[in-house]
Amino acid sequence: EHPHIRYNPLMEEWVTVSPHRMKRPWKGQVEKSEEEEIPSYDPNNSLCPGNTRSSGKVNPQYEGTFLFDNDFPALLKDGPAPSANPDPLFQSAPAYGACQVMCFHPRSDLTLPLMSQSEVREVIDKWAEINTDLGKKYTWVQIFENKGNVMGCSNPHPHCQVWASSYFPNDPAKKHRTQREYYDKHKVPLLVDYVKKELQKQERVVLQNEHWVWLVPYWAIWPYETMLLPKRHVLRIEDLTSAERDALADIMKKLLTKYDNMFEVSFPYSMGWHGAPTGDYLQQDNSHWQLHALYFPPLLRSATVKKFMVGYEMLAQSQRDLTAEQAAEKLKSLPDVHYKSQNS
């Protein structure tokens, strides 16, 4: 119940925890609470089957997942390199890459928790295929999903993005170093050791099955931030066995159902996968890595109140009110059946 700070060994950062602040009244911004009715097919939605995108390209009449090159990519496959600058204060480097969009399903009104387990498994298989293909050339392949208007998602059709880069981005580069340092010192991967201890404590574990654990990290920053990890030591998503992929589809449906049931809305979040780097790193020993997915939802007290990263958090250090243990307990207590199925 009292303020304290917690350490994140992956990112070498501390987070301030202030549980007593949950009692304060909220008089700030609230988000729209009504859920928008999304049709299964919208002739004006550029991601629907058979529709024309802003680039002029026409989508096929796809029936499963659909992958295409982003019409407005953040990274390009080639181009001139920036000029070298001897001044240490004005450094730049080349940045090449590929950006793709992957639709999960032909229907716009079906998010991952509402899809069948076999359809979620198809998404997982496609993620593994993408990581393998782009990983042959690029150092880092970032698969991520922004869900909901509040997370800046501009299209309600269920989809994710992929940014593959020639360079090692900041956060995974830091994780590469911290996990290696832990491995060299303790002779076990950091996250493998962490999962083992979390399973012993059972204080922040929300769900588990034979192959996966879904938990609220001890050092979580966002109110209902979670991490999804395999129980076995796995470097990359393409290394998962068929049984592990089935179990991943199962636990993903369950965890996303719990998220939606929190405030009975399609729960917004940003999520993504982190695993061992690719490209030239494929020829190196990356035993210190452990595959994991991260979920960062912004909602705090209700469907209309979200957490803002401002002020102290931008200038000094991340801070949260709800403890990780309280968040885990809340998530654990939520129904396993989706609220739309309950209400139908």
Side-chain angles (χ1 to χ4, degrees), residues 172-236:
K174 184 180 285 188
K175 285 185 177 183
H176 186 67
R177 176 177 57 80
T178 57
Q179 287 180 102
R180 184 181 292 282
E181 289 172 355
Y182 189 94
Y183 186 81
D184 290 345
K185 183 176 181 179
H186 300 281
K187 310 306 176 190
V188 61
L190 187 157
L191 287 175
V192 171
D193 208 13
Y194 176 65
V195 164
K196 177 184 175 183
K197 292 176 181 178
E198 285 285 22
L199 287 172
Q200 290 170 349
K201 291 178 181 291
Q202 288 294 320
E203 293 174 349
R204 288 164 292 275
V205 173
V206 181
L207 288 173
Q208 64 172 306
N209 59 25
E210 183 182 357
H211 298 290
W212 292 88
V213 182
W214 184 46
L215 54 82
V216 178
Y218 176 75
W219 51 79
I221 295 173
W222 293 92
Y224 294 100
E225 173 183 335
T226 57
M227 184 183 286
L228 180 59
L229 306 104
K231 291 183 176 179
R232 179 177 69 91
H233 183 203
V234 180
L235 297 187
R236 302 177 181 92

Side-chain angles (χ1 to χ4, degrees), residues 83-96:
S83 301
N85 191 331
D87 193 321
L89 298 179
F90 300 96
Q91 293 294 300
S92 57
Y96 304 117

Side-chain angles (χ1 to χ4, degrees), residues 6-15 169-179 181 190-191 219 221 225 227 274 289 292 294 296 318:
R6 297 188 182 192
Y7 185 63
N8 180 344
L10 277 174
M11 301 304 295
E12 295 182 318
E13 294 176 352
W14 291 86
V15 55
N170 294 337
D171 286 4
K174 184 180 285 188
K175 285 185 177 183
H176 186 67
R177 176 177 57 80
T178 57
Q179 287 180 102
E181 289 172 355
L190 187 157
L191 287 175
W219 51 79
I221 295 173
E225 173 183 335
M227 184 183 286
H274 279 180
W289 266 94
H292 57 287
L294 298 159
F296 300 119
S318 296

Side-chain angles (χ1 to χ4, degrees), residues 3-5 14-22 24 219-223 300 307-310 312-314 316-322:
H4 59 281
I5 57 176
W14 291 86
V15 55
T16 301
V17 184
S18 313
H20 59 290
R21 278 166 53 92
M22 285 300 291
R24 70 187 178 121
W219 51 79
I221 295 173
W222 293 92
L300 175 58
K307 176 181 175 60
F308 290 90
M309 288 287 194
V310 295
Y312 185 86
E313 290 153 308
M314 294 182 73
Q317 181 169 297
S318 296
Q319 182 272 341
R320 65 178 288 129
D321 296 344
L322 193 71

